Amino acid sequence: MGSCGTWAWQELLVLLSSVWLWEGSSQPTPPGSTHTPGPQLKFRLAGYPRKHNEGRIEVFYNDEWGTICDDDFTLANAHVLCRHLGFVAATGWAHSAKYGKGIGRIWLDNVNCVGGEKSIGDCKHRGWGNSDCSHEEDAGVICKDERIPGFKDSNVIETEQSHVEEVRLRPVVSGARRQLPVTEGIVEVRYKDGWAQICDEGWDSQNSHVVCGMMGFPAEKKVNRNFYKRLKRTARMKGQTLRPGSRLASKSQPKQKRGEDVGSKKRLFTERQQLNYRLHSVSCTGTEVHLSMCAFEFYRGNASATCRAGMPAVVSCVPGPLFATGNAHKKKQRQQQQSQPRIRLKGGAKVGEGRVEVLKSSEWGTICDDRWNLLSASVVCRELGFGSAREALTGARMGQGTGPIHMNEVQCLGTEKTLWSCPFKNITQEDCKHTEDAAVRCNIPYMGYETLETWYWDASNVTEMVLSGVKCAGHEMSLSHCQHHGTSLNCRNTGTRFAAGVICSETASDLLLHAPLVQETAYIEDRPLHMLYCAAEENCLSSSARLANWPYGHRRLLRFSSQIHNNGRADFRPKAGRHSWVWHECHRHYHSMDIFTHYDILTPNGTKVAEGHKASFCLEDTECEEDVAKRYECANFGEQGITVGCWDLYRHDIDCQWIDITDVKPGNYILQVVINPNFEVAESDFTNNAMKCNCKYDGHRIWVHSCHIGDALSEEANKRFEQYPGQLNNQIS
């Protein structure tokens, strides 16, 4: 039992890592030692809070800072890394991003050192840049506070802790109400046990652009600096300074106190506290994904009398369409509806993350991960209405796509408005495979949705039903955004019997039908009734079959093979355990799902004229990709499922792998196949579960063509497909 809102009313800190001063060296270099051949490595400790001899371990490789995953991490690994940092040994190590999540690449994973290696590169690992981790798994080390004699380029961090990790946007003015997301406020950085401000001398739009990107916004707008100057003067006259109001970085917003003034005029929150400036002379190019990557200087010692000619840096951000409110929200939604975007994210578990797909020649395709980095990922994120990128993911970390791979070696400068403006190479079949599909995780604004206090508990404790009839499309950010019965609850007095519950997961399966195989294998068979008794028992024939003169006559069947791939990040397993599988004596097999697929023949306007269904009597790994082992086999009452990277093949010549079209008249139709139609098993993407084909039936033969996954084409191409007038001959162009 637990609560998704356990941390409500606590601060949500924007834990985005940073760069520090150049620190560390390629390896400990006491007198007489030599450097290991290969790329020069640099190491540093990062994170907060920490001491000078502990922190998140970061390595500079191939001109880019990155982290190390905690998978299989050991004290021996920590020994090697601490010696890199100039310490004699390690006393411990930390997992699960104890010192905060890093940014950029995860350079090493599954590191396995003996302990005596001179370089971390000499230890066993998966290869540089080859990782299946997220920054939630960043490793840290605790080094013995004793330096190696003669070690150069010391990594000892000054007591001032000259780094920037946590950043927040704090509003100081209030309108009629406090709204989320917070789009305007003072920029503050975490300093010791509190927060400090940035002097705005020399502050420009590029700096604001970086901060807005960190906060989850695609763009910035000009701030009325004179307004804040007046507030500052007013506060000084009263002997007060700017007071924290609602915070973007807080876990949730404090409840408004009873009797608090909520007038429509902007006003200043004040309290007796002193400004504490920490940074000045900030200079960003505008392409950085974090403020810490910009040039800046720290104030030293007592900085209370600094920034005389300036004031705290203030930023105003423009939210993306998904997070905009009021009239601006409606206007942006209308603009989106008028033109289909040419880029999208697929397969992600959360808003703002997923496999990057682009639209070219009316067909959606993926991007190869060669040279994929944070600059290109940030262009994608901002184009979609999010902030800058938190991570640029490689190796199909958000699942494999299907269809073409449209782009390779994308090299954005970071200033482009659209990914299509970036230099890239056209793909050839030999260049990339879908195992190299690029993905992103974007910064998104804090919306405070966890204060819905959604709980998962033992149903016996339920005392009240608050929602019924909930129907979500899947893209909503809160249950309250889904369709539901409102105040007219259907199960108000039913007790605990109908209480809903969930089990959450960061990963899920993603099933897709191999459309070309359906097109290649489709044919008609007139099958005698005496061979269809088992099929009739399993309801694989149309209802009119019950009126036939059994065992005489036949049924006309449209048969085809279906090959179903799992391109997700988790195995597809039946919802029911095998103790509840149903044995079917006629076919001598178990059904692990009531219905696994729907087969339908539709008219061009969507009217169903024939249907079939396939119970998953055997979900198993028929074949797998190279280096992927089969895990599921139906023989001997074995476990059923489809492994990631494998597929299950239902051949055209097995029972029920058909649609009964005995009663269908000649004409032009759409063949539709839907996998997991009742959403019994969780998938990361349900929009690609349907496959459609055009088909022409002349009463004797059938032509099936233009088969494609439901979301593979542009909206315009899909409309043309659904208006299919039929073929004039049997030649398919």
Side-chain angles (χ1 to χ4, degrees):
M1 295 188 293
S3 168
C4 297
T6 301
W7 296 279
W9 320 118
Q10 298 175 2
E11 291 193 329
L12 172 65
L13 303 178
V14 182
L15 295 174
L16 295 170
S17 297
S18 63
V19 295
W20 292 255
L21 300 176
W22 285 84
E23 298 161 347
S25 70
S26 61
Q27 66 176 54
T29 53
S33 67
T34 58
H35 286 282
T36 303
Q40 185 183 20
L41 304 178
K42 291 179 181 289
F43 297 85
R44 67 186 181 192
L45 292 174
Y48 186 88
R50 65 187 182 89
K51 299 177 181 178
H52 68 276
N53 60 327
E54 64 176 312
R56 181 177 62 249
I57 183 69
E58 297 196 346
V59 56
F60 188 78
Y61 174 83
N62 200 22
D63 295 326
E64 187 176 351
W65 283 103
T67 61
I68 297 177
C69 182
D70 62 13
D71 288 354
D72 301 328
F73 207 86
T74 64
L75 186 61
N77 298 352
H79 282 312
V80 176
L81 290 165
C82 284
R83 289 199 298 271
H84 273 302
L85 295 163
F87 297 98
V88 295
T91 59
W93 61 278
H95 60 86
S96 303
K98 175 185 176 181
Y99 298 102
K101 294 182 286 187
I103 57 175
R105 300 291 295 271
I106 300 176
W107 277 127
L108 291 172
D109 189 7
N110 299 115
V111 180
N112 184 7
C113 301
V114 175
E117 293 87 349
K118 292 184 177 180
S119 170
I120 196 70
D122 296 335
C123 303
K124 293 180 180 179
H125 54 81
R126 294 180 58 162
W128 290 95
N130 183 10
S131 169
D132 60 358
C133 299
S134 70
H135 281 296
E136 294 176 346
E137 302 167 83
D138 285 343
V141 295
I142 302 99
C143 301
K144 185 176 181 180
D145 195 5
E146 181 182 341
R147 306 293 294 172
I148 296 175
F151 188 86
K152 298 178 181 179
D153 296 322
S154 170
N155 192 67
V156 175
I157 295 175
E158 303 171 16
T159 56
E160 285 286 327
Q161 290 186 327
S162 299
H163 59 275
V164 175
E165 290 201 11
E166 301 171 22
V167 181
R168 73 179 183 183
L169 198 60
R170 174 170 65 84
V172 294
V173 293
S174 174
R177 66 177 72 177
R178 301 179 186 180
Q179 292 183 334
L180 291 177
V182 173
T183 58
E184 183 173 310
I186 291 177
V187 182
E188 295 188 328
V189 297
R190 169 70 77 178
Y191 179 53
K192 296 183 178 178
D193 295 329
W195 294 90
Q197 295 78 41
I198 301 174
C199 181
D200 74 344
E201 292 177 348
W203 189 270
D204 58 20
S205 60
Q206 283 91 343
N207 299 347
S208 298
H209 192 70
V210 172
V211 171
C212 288
M214 293 174 59
M215 299 296 108
F217 303 112
E220 76 292 343
K221 63 181 179 180
K222 191 173 181 180
V223 176
N224 185 350
R225 193 168 182 269
N226 290 330
F227 173 76
Y228 283 90
K229 275 188 174 180
R230 289 196 298 272
L231 294 183
K232 181 182 178 184
R233 285 198 297 270
T234 302
R236 280 180 174 173
M237 289 174 62
K238 295 180 178 180
Q240 299 166 333
T241 55
L242 305 180
R243 171 189 184 268
S246 56
R247 303 168 182 174
L248 179 66
S250 62
K251 189 72 177 179
S252 59
Q253 306 304 308
K255 290 184 177 179
Q256 188 169 297
K257 296 179 181 178
R258 188 171 297 175
E260 187 175 41
D261 174 24
V262 290
S264 60
K265 294 181 180 180
K266 287 185 176 180
R267 64 183 179 86
L268 171 67
F269 289 115
T270 60
E271 71 174 12
R272 289 181 176 84
Q273 67 173 33
Q274 293 297 317
L275 289 172
N276 179 21
Y277 289 103
R278 177 74 177 132
L279 271 65
H280 67 97
S281 303
V282 178
S283 179
C284 303
T285 64
T287 61
E288 297 89 348
V289 298
H290 197 281
L291 191 65
S292 60
M293 294 181 172
C294 305
F296 54 80
E297 294 183 24
F298 288 96
Y299 286 114
R300 303 295 179 183
N302 184 5
S304 60
T306 57
C307 199
R308 285 294 186 184
M311 56 176 278
V314 178
V315 165
S316 184
C317 305
V318 179
L322 189 61
F323 307 99
T325 57
N327 293 330
H329 176 55
K330 295 177 182 177
K331 182 178 179 181
K332 289 185 178 182
Q333 278 190 328
R334 284 196 299 269
Q335 291 173 345
Q336 277 191 331
Q337 292 169 356
Q338 290 172 358
S339 60
Q340 184 184 18
R342 296 182 64 195
I343 190 166
R344 68 185 183 186
L345 301 182
K346 302 285 285 185
K350 302 174 183 176
V351 173
E353 69 175 30
R355 180 179 61 253
V356 182
E357 296 190 352
V358 291
L359 186 64
K360 181 180 180 182
S361 302
S362 298
E363 189 173 9
W364 287 100
T366 61
I367 297 175
C368 185
D369 64 10
D370 292 352
R371 297 197 177 187
W372 187 247
N373 60 23
L374 284 169
L375 288 176
S376 300
S378 290
V379 171
V380 169
C381 291
R382 291 185 188 269
E383 183 178 355
L384 290 168
F386 305 113
S388 51
R390 288 192 296 118
E391 292 182 70
L393 303 172
T394 59
R397 286 278 305 282
M398 291 292 177
Q400 297 182 32
T402 57
I405 302 175
H406 285 319
M407 306 172 81
N408 187 22
E409 295 191 24
V410 181
Q411 298 181 63
C412 298
L413 298 175
T415 57
E416 296 86 351
K417 298 296 183 183
T418 173
L419 192 70
W420 288 104
S421 299
C422 302
F424 68 92
K425 289 184 179 180
N426 290 318
I427 200 75
T428 63
Q429 192 169 3
E430 293 76 24
D431 285 337
C432 280
K433 298 179 181 178
H434 282 296
T435 54
E436 302 169 80
D437 285 342
V440 297
R441 283 196 177 103
C442 306
N443 289 318
I444 64 171
Y446 170 68
M447 300 298 292
Y449 287 133
E450 70 273 17
T451 60
L452 288 163
E453 299 277 353
T454 304
W455 292 73
Y456 178 57
W457 50 33
D458 179 2
S460 62
N461 295 327
V462 173
T463 57
E464 181 184 9
M465 295 291 184
V466 294
L467 283 175
S468 68
V470 179
K471 186 176 183 181
C472 301
H475 56 75
E476 297 86 353
M477 299 183 69
S478 167
L479 276 179
S480 61
H481 296 171
C482 303
Q483 295 181 25
H484 57 85
H485 290 156
T487 57
S488 304
L489 297 179
N490 278 7
C491 49
R492 188 184 300 274
N493 300 315
T494 57
T496 63
R497 181 180 175 188
F498 299 108
V502 297
I503 299 175
C504 301
S505 174
E506 285 286 330
T507 59
S509 58
D510 186 18
L511 298 188
L512 297 98
L513 185 67
H514 186 54
L517 185 63
V518 174
Q519 184 170 312
E520 294 164 6
T521 58
Y523 65 96
I524 287 177
E525 178 192 10
D526 289 337
R527 194 164 183 81
L529 283 174
H530 70 84
M531 300 177 68
L532 292 172
Y533 280 104
C534 282
E537 180 183 309
E538 296 191 11
N539 298 316
C540 294
L541 302 175
S542 62
S543 57
S544 64
R546 293 195 296 268
L547 306 177
N549 186 24
W550 292 77
Y552 308 105
H554 66 272
R555 303 299 292 181
R556 176 155 291 182
L557 309 175
L558 170 59
R559 309 195 70 146
F560 52 88
S561 297
S562 63
Q563 184 173 298
I564 298 168
H565 294 243
N566 183 0
N567 284 4
R569 293 189 288 156
D571 294 353
F572 184 92
R573 298 296 310 277
K575 179 181 178 181
R578 59 170 139 183
H579 62 279
S580 60
W581 295 352
V582 179
W583 173 257
H584 282 249
E585 182 65 30
C586 192
H587 280 140
R588 308 287 299 173
H589 57 240
Y590 284 94
H591 284 203
S592 59
M593 295 175 67
D594 291 334
I595 296 177
F596 180 55
T597 51
H598 274 165
Y599 305 147
D600 299 309
I601 297 291
L602 312 172
T603 63
N605 66 7
T607 303
K608 189 181 298 184
V609 295
E611 64 182 59
H613 78 273
K614 186 70 176 176
S616 74
F617 62 83
C618 179
L619 277 176
E620 66 178 1
D621 298 326
T622 307
E623 294 292 341
C624 298
E625 296 172 359
E626 188 177 356
D627 299 328
V628 178
K630 297 179 183 180
R631 298 182 61 185
Y632 303 106
E633 187 176 6
C634 298
N636 301 318
F637 195 39
E639 290 289 348
Q640 294 192 24
I642 306 177
T643 304
V644 175
C646 299
W647 57 89
D648 193 2
L649 175 63
Y650 292 86
R651 288 176 51 88
H652 57 83
D653 54 359
I654 63 175
D655 258 10
C656 296
Q657 187 60 38
W658 63 56
I659 302 177
D660 185 348
I661 61 170
T662 305
D663 305 319
V664 176
K665 298 178 181 179
N668 303 306
Y669 298 99
I670 293 174
L671 166 62
Q672 177 177 277
V673 178
V674 182
I675 309 167
N676 192 16
N678 298 333
F679 312 116
E680 289 186 35
V681 178
E683 295 190 49
S684 60
D685 186 4
F686 287 110
T687 63
N688 56 14
N689 280 36
M691 184 222 66
K692 294 182 178 181
C693 305
N694 285 136
C695 57
K696 177 181 176 62
Y697 176 49
D698 66 1
H700 305 284
R701 298 170 297 174
I702 195 164
W703 292 271
V704 176
H705 64 100
S706 303
C707 295
H708 65 279
I709 299 299
D711 69 340
L713 304 181
S714 66
E715 292 176 0
E716 182 181 353
N718 268 325
K719 289 178 181 177
R720 290 197 302 267
F721 176 88
E722 291 169 0
Q723 294 169 357
Y724 166 63
Q727 295 172 255
L728 299 178
N729 53 50
N730 65 350
Q731 302 299 313
I732 301 172
S733 58

